[in-house]
Amino acid sequence: MAKIDDDRSGALVTKDSSSPACPIKGCTDTTWYADAHDIEYHTSDRTYSFHKCQRCDVLFIVPMLWDRLEEIYPKTYYSYAPKKLGIVLRQRSLDRRVLKVLASIPGDRLSVLDIGSGSGWMLDQIKSCSSRVGFTQCVDLDEGAQAQAVARGHAYHLGRIEQFETDRRFDLVLALGLIEHVRDPALVLRRIEGLLTAHGRVLIQTPNFDALDARLFRHCSWAGYHTPRHFVLFNRQSFTDLAKQSGLGVVSFSYIQSPGYWSVSVLGAMRRLGLIEISAQRPPYHHPLNPLLRASFAAFEFARTPFARLSQMVFTLGRR
């Protein structure tokens, strides 16, 4: 079945089907799953649709605004202010996990690549904790972060990972909160696989749409949709399958807590009911109720951790 790249949506459609095709394999066995709005930054009032591929078992957004990133990532986006929020949220949950993976990799001089690194704060932490790390590479689209990263001793590629060219191979690749933001996850995973040493590891964190909060807020703009910035969403099995198809095998896996998805989803519901006010100038992360909700749901998630499928997944991958 012939494919056409629809520049308006970023999704594939077919000449003989009105259904958007799955961005993983171009499958046409897709169905509407949910509608959602930007409940965080209110970049537009547009309604976006998430569709589900029955074969690949992934969700994907339509329209997929891969060529309009400046519109959907506003200046108030949380990762643009890492000292205020981004560093704290990511560092607390991932520092120990990153260092554990790093400790399992042999070698006296290791190279580490962080995709979507910002100013390289995670690489700063890694270098300060491990004298074996001799080379660090950032890949990011943030021009403002480049000078900071270089000043801290990191190499920096300003652009997408798909465009990154190097003869160096890396012992550890970090892709934390990245794969759900890209138009072609399979291409990115193949690119990562080609950048690994034989004993290299990849650490990936990505949302899980097969979680309790995802089901409860499915038709209420679940925060894990991160509309319209999350393009493709996985569950454990669908991401494992894609990794294998890309030449990568799962070394370890775990679910981790994401109380922020709960709190932002609840705040979005309260806004729709007219109980609170949230706007582009005041995202839900800065609402005074957010800390209380996060703390409450963190306790709830902690109690569920041993037996539940939580809404964030962490994979350690290696070459097959």
Side-chain angles (χ1 to χ4, degrees), residues 296-308:
S296 301
F297 284 115
F300 176 62
E301 291 280 86
F302 179 79
R304 300 173 62 240
T305 296
F307 56 85

mmCIF file with all atom_site columns, all heavy atoms in Angstrom, residues 296-308:
data_model
loop_
_atom_site.group_PDB
_atom_site.id
_atom_site.type_symbol
_atom_site.label_atom_id
_atom_site.label_alt_id
_atom_site.label_comp_id
_atom_site.label_asym_id
_atom_site.label_entity_id
_atom_site.label_seq_id
_atom_site.pdbx_PDB_ins_code
_atom_site.Cartn_x
_atom_site.Cartn_y
_atom_site.Cartn_z
_atom_site.occupancy
_atom_site.B_iso_or_equiv
_atom_site.pdbx_formal_charge
_atom_site.auth_seq_id
_atom_site.auth_comp_id
_atom_site.auth_asym_id
_atom_site.auth_atom_id
_atom_site.pdbx_PDB_model_num
ATOM 1   N N   . SER A 1 296 ? 1.005  13.783 47.778 1.00 0.00 ? 296 SER A N   1
ATOM 2   C CA  . SER A 1 296 ? -0.039 12.784 48.040 1.00 0.00 ? 296 SER A CA  1
ATOM 3   C C   . SER A 1 296 ? 0.061  11.622 47.069 1.00 0.00 ? 296 SER A C   1
ATOM 4   O O   . SER A 1 296 ? -0.006 10.441 47.468 1.00 0.00 ? 296 SER A O   1
ATOM 5   C CB  . SER A 1 296 ? -1.422 13.434 47.951 1.00 0.00 ? 296 SER A CB  1
ATOM 6   O OG  . SER A 1 296 ? -1.545 14.492 48.880 1.00 0.00 ? 296 SER A OG  1
ATOM 7   N N   . PHE A 1 297 ? 0.225  11.937 45.797 1.00 0.00 ? 297 PHE A N   1
ATOM 8   C CA  . PHE A 1 297 ? 0.287  10.865 44.804 1.00 0.00 ? 297 PHE A CA  1
ATOM 9   C C   . PHE A 1 297 ? 1.627  10.135 44.840 1.00 0.00 ? 297 PHE A C   1
ATOM 10  O O   . PHE A 1 297 ? 1.697  8.962  44.448 1.00 0.00 ? 297 PHE A O   1
ATOM 11  C CB  . PHE A 1 297 ? 0.001  11.421 43.406 1.00 0.00 ? 297 PHE A CB  1
ATOM 12  C CG  . PHE A 1 297 ? -1.455 11.709 43.168 1.00 0.00 ? 297 PHE A CG  1
ATOM 13  C CD1 . PHE A 1 297 ? -1.912 12.998 42.970 1.00 0.00 ? 297 PHE A CD1 1
ATOM 14  C CD2 . PHE A 1 297 ? -2.377 10.678 43.169 1.00 0.00 ? 297 PHE A CD2 1
ATOM 15  C CE1 . PHE A 1 297 ? -3.256 13.258 42.768 1.00 0.00 ? 297 PHE A CE1 1
ATOM 16  C CE2 . PHE A 1 297 ? -3.732 10.915 42.964 1.00 0.00 ? 297 PHE A CE2 1
ATOM 17  C CZ  . PHE A 1 297 ? -4.168 12.212 42.765 1.00 0.00 ? 297 PHE A CZ  1
ATOM 18  N N   . ALA A 1 298 ? 2.688  10.792 45.313 1.00 0.00 ? 298 ALA A N   1
ATOM 19  C CA  . ALA A 1 298 ? 3.956  10.090 45.491 1.00 0.00 ? 298 ALA A CA  1
ATOM 20  C C   . ALA A 1 298 ? 3.803  8.984  46.525 1.00 0.00 ? 298 ALA A C   1
ATOM 21  O O   . ALA A 1 298 ? 4.309  7.861  46.350 1.00 0.00 ? 298 ALA A O   1
ATOM 22  C CB  . ALA A 1 298 ? 5.047  11.071 45.907 1.00 0.00 ? 298 ALA A CB  1
ATOM 23  N N   . ALA A 1 299 ? 3.087  9.271  47.603 1.00 0.00 ? 299 ALA A N   1
ATOM 24  C CA  . ALA A 1 299 ? 2.821  8.257  48.625 1.00 0.00 ? 299 ALA A CA  1
ATOM 25  C C   . ALA A 1 299 ? 1.963  7.129  48.060 1.00 0.00 ? 299 ALA A C   1
ATOM 26  O O   . ALA A 1 299 ? 2.208  5.942  48.310 1.00 0.00 ? 299 ALA A O   1
ATOM 27  C CB  . ALA A 1 299 ? 2.146  8.891  49.834 1.00 0.00 ? 299 ALA A CB  1
ATOM 28  N N   . PHE A 1 300 ? 0.955  7.500  47.278 1.00 0.00 ? 300 PHE A N   1
ATOM 29  C CA  . PHE A 1 300 ? 0.084  6.507  46.648 1.00 0.00 ? 300 PHE A CA  1
ATOM 30  C C   . PHE A 1 300 ? 0.874  5.615  45.697 1.00 0.00 ? 300 PHE A C   1
ATOM 31  O O   . PHE A 1 300 ? 0.749  4.386  45.723 1.00 0.00 ? 300 PHE A O   1
ATOM 32  C CB  . PHE A 1 300 ? -1.035 7.242  45.908 1.00 0.00 ? 300 PHE A CB  1
ATOM 33  C CG  . PHE A 1 300 ? -1.962 6.344  45.135 1.00 0.00 ? 300 PHE A CG  1
ATOM 34  C CD1 . PHE A 1 300 ? -2.723 5.388  45.769 1.00 0.00 ? 300 PHE A CD1 1
ATOM 35  C CD2 . PHE A 1 300 ? -2.075 6.476  43.759 1.00 0.00 ? 300 PHE A CD2 1
ATOM 36  C CE1 . PHE A 1 300 ? -3.586 4.563  45.055 1.00 0.00 ? 300 PHE A CE1 1
ATOM 37  C CE2 . PHE A 1 300 ? -2.927 5.661  43.031 1.00 0.00 ? 300 PHE A CE2 1
ATOM 38  C CZ  . PHE A 1 300 ? -3.680 4.702  43.680 1.00 0.00 ? 300 PHE A CZ  1
ATOM 39  N N   . GLU A 1 301 ? 1.723  6.217  44.874 1.00 0.00 ? 301 GLU A N   1
ATOM 40  C CA  . GLU A 1 301 ? 2.530  5.461  43.922 1.00 0.00 ? 301 GLU A CA  1
ATOM 41  C C   . GLU A 1 301 ? 3.546  4.571  44.646 1.00 0.00 ? 301 GLU A C   1
ATOM 42  O O   . GLU A 1 301 ? 3.812  3.448  44.216 1.00 0.00 ? 301 GLU A O   1
ATOM 43  C CB  . GLU A 1 301 ? 3.273  6.420  42.985 1.00 0.00 ? 301 GLU A CB  1
ATOM 44  C CG  . GLU A 1 301 ? 2.371  7.169  42.018 1.00 0.00 ? 301 GLU A CG  1
ATOM 45  C CD  . GLU A 1 301 ? 1.988  6.314  40.824 1.00 0.00 ? 301 GLU A CD  1
ATOM 46  O OE1 . GLU A 1 301 ? 0.993  5.554  40.932 1.00 0.00 ? 301 GLU A OE1 1
ATOM 47  O OE2 . GLU A 1 301 ? 2.690  6.388  39.794 1.00 0.00 ? 301 GLU A OE2 1
ATOM 48  N N   . PHE A 1 302 ? 4.117  5.072  45.731 1.00 0.00 ? 302 PHE A N   1
ATOM 49  C CA  . PHE A 1 302 ? 5.085  4.277  46.488 1.00 0.00 ? 302 PHE A CA  1
ATOM 50  C C   . PHE A 1 302 ? 4.435  2.998  47.014 1.00 0.00 ? 302 PHE A C   1
ATOM 51  O O   . PHE A 1 302 ? 5.031  1.917  46.970 1.00 0.00 ? 302 PHE A O   1
ATOM 52  C CB  . PHE A 1 302 ? 5.638  5.102  47.652 1.00 0.00 ? 302 PHE A CB  1
ATOM 53  C CG  . PHE A 1 302 ? 6.621  4.349  48.507 1.00 0.00 ? 302 PHE A CG  1
ATOM 54  C CD1 . PHE A 1 302 ? 7.932  4.184  48.091 1.00 0.00 ? 302 PHE A CD1 1
ATOM 55  C CD2 . PHE A 1 302 ? 6.232  3.817  49.734 1.00 0.00 ? 302 PHE A CD2 1
ATOM 56  C CE1 . PHE A 1 302 ? 8.847  3.484  48.881 1.00 0.00 ? 302 PHE A CE1 1
ATOM 57  C CE2 . PHE A 1 302 ? 7.127  3.122  50.523 1.00 0.00 ? 302 PHE A CE2 1
ATOM 58  C CZ  . PHE A 1 302 ? 8.446  2.952  50.092 1.00 0.00 ? 302 PHE A CZ  1
ATOM 59  N N   . ALA A 1 303 ? 3.212  3.117  47.493 1.00 0.00 ? 303 ALA A N   1
ATOM 60  C CA  . ALA A 1 303 ? 2.507  1.950  48.021 1.00 0.00 ? 303 ALA A CA  1
ATOM 61  C C   . ALA A 1 303 ? 2.200  0.932  46.924 1.00 0.00 ? 303 ALA A C   1
ATOM 62  O O   . ALA A 1 303 ? 2.136  -0.277 47.187 1.00 0.00 ? 303 ALA A O   1
ATOM 63  C CB  . ALA A 1 303 ? 1.217  2.391  48.711 1.00 0.00 ? 303 ALA A CB  1
ATOM 64  N N   . ARG A 1 304 ? 2.037  1.411  45.688 1.00 0.00 ? 304 ARG A N   1
ATOM 65  C CA  . ARG A 1 304 ? 1.686  0.528  44.572 1.00 0.00 ? 304 ARG A CA  1
ATOM 66  C C   . ARG A 1 304 ? 2.893  -0.047 43.850 1.00 0.00 ? 304 ARG A C   1
ATOM 67  O O   . ARG A 1 304 ? 2.761  -0.984 43.058 1.00 0.00 ? 304 ARG A O   1
ATOM 68  C CB  . ARG A 1 304 ? 0.840  1.302  43.550 1.00 0.00 ? 304 ARG A CB  1
ATOM 69  C CG  . ARG A 1 304 ? -0.455 1.852  44.084 1.00 0.00 ? 304 ARG A CG  1
ATOM 70  C CD  . ARG A 1 304 ? -1.133 2.750  43.057 1.00 0.00 ? 304 ARG A CD  1
ATOM 71  N NE  . ARG A 1 304 ? -1.487 2.029  41.851 1.00 0.00 ? 304 ARG A NE  1
ATOM 72  C CZ  . ARG A 1 304 ? -1.036 2.315  40.631 1.00 0.00 ? 304 ARG A CZ  1
ATOM 73  N NH1 . ARG A 1 304 ? -0.200 3.319  40.451 1.00 0.00 ? 304 ARG A NH1 1
ATOM 74  N NH2 . ARG A 1 304 ? -1.417 1.609  39.596 1.00 0.00 ? 304 ARG A NH2 1
ATOM 75  N N   . THR A 1 305 ? 4.080  0.510  44.091 1.00 0.00 ? 305 THR A N   1
ATOM 76  C CA  . THR A 1 305 ? 5.263  0.180  43.297 1.00 0.00 ? 305 THR A CA  1
ATOM 77  C C   . THR A 1 305 ? 5.554  -1.314 43.189 1.00 0.00 ? 305 THR A C   1
ATOM 78  O O   . THR A 1 305 ? 5.889  -1.792 42.101 1.00 0.00 ? 305 THR A O   1
ATOM 79  C CB  . THR A 1 305 ? 6.495  0.925  43.850 1.00 0.00 ? 305 THR A CB  1
ATOM 80  O OG1 . THR A 1 305 ? 6.288  2.336  43.693 1.00 0.00 ? 305 THR A OG1 1
ATOM 81  C CG2 . THR A 1 305 ? 7.760  0.529  43.111 1.00 0.00 ? 305 THR A CG2 1
ATOM 82  N N   . PRO A 1 306 ? 5.434  -2.109 44.257 1.00 0.00 ? 306 PRO A N   1
ATOM 83  C CA  . PRO A 1 306 ? 5.836  -3.518 44.133 1.00 0.00 ? 306 PRO A CA  1
ATOM 84  C C   . PRO A 1 306 ? 4.996  -4.336 43.164 1.00 0.00 ? 306 PRO A C   1
ATOM 85  O O   . PRO A 1 306 ? 5.463  -5.372 42.674 1.00 0.00 ? 306 PRO A O   1
ATOM 86  C CB  . PRO A 1 306 ? 5.684  -4.037 45.574 1.00 0.00 ? 306 PRO A CB  1
ATOM 87  C CG  . PRO A 1 306 ? 5.734  -2.832 46.445 1.00 0.00 ? 306 PRO A CG  1
ATOM 88  C CD  . PRO A 1 306 ? 5.071  -1.755 45.638 1.00 0.00 ? 306 PRO A CD  1
ATOM 89  N N   . PHE A 1 307 ? 3.773  -3.920 42.889 1.00 0.00 ? 307 PHE A N   1
ATOM 90  C CA  . PHE A 1 307 ? 2.883  -4.792 42.112 1.00 0.00 ? 307 PHE A CA  1
ATOM 91  C C   . PHE A 1 307 ? 2.175  -4.105 40.949 1.00 0.00 ? 307 PHE A C   1
ATOM 92  O O   . PHE A 1 307 ? 1.454  -4.775 40.197 1.00 0.00 ? 307 PHE A O   1
ATOM 93  C CB  . PHE A 1 307 ? 1.826  -5.405 43.034 1.00 0.00 ? 307 PHE A CB  1
ATOM 94  C CG  . PHE A 1 307 ? 1.012  -4.387 43.795 1.00 0.00 ? 307 PHE A CG  1
ATOM 95  C CD1 . PHE A 1 307 ? -0.110 -3.803 43.235 1.00 0.00 ? 307 PHE A CD1 1
ATOM 96  C CD2 . PHE A 1 307 ? 1.383  -4.003 45.069 1.00 0.00 ? 307 PHE A CD2 1
ATOM 97  C CE1 . PHE A 1 307 ? -0.858 -2.860 43.923 1.00 0.00 ? 307 PHE A CE1 1
ATOM 98  C CE2 . PHE A 1 307 ? 0.636  -3.061 45.773 1.00 0.00 ? 307 PHE A CE2 1
ATOM 99  C CZ  . PHE A 1 307 ? -0.480 -2.489 45.203 1.00 0.00 ? 307 PHE A CZ  1
ATOM 100 N N   . ALA A 1 308 ? 2.362  -2.802 40.758 1.00 0.00 ? 308 ALA A N   1
ATOM 101 C CA  . ALA A 1 308 ? 1.567  -2.076 39.769 1.00 0.00 ? 308 ALA A CA  1
ATOM 102 C C   . ALA A 1 308 ? 2.397  -1.670 38.554 1.00 0.00 ? 308 ALA A C   1
ATOM 103 O O   . ALA A 1 308 ? 3.616  -1.520 38.631 1.00 0.00 ? 308 ALA A O   1
ATOM 104 C CB  . ALA A 1 308 ? 0.952  -0.830 40.412 1.00 0.00 ? 308 ALA A CB  1
#
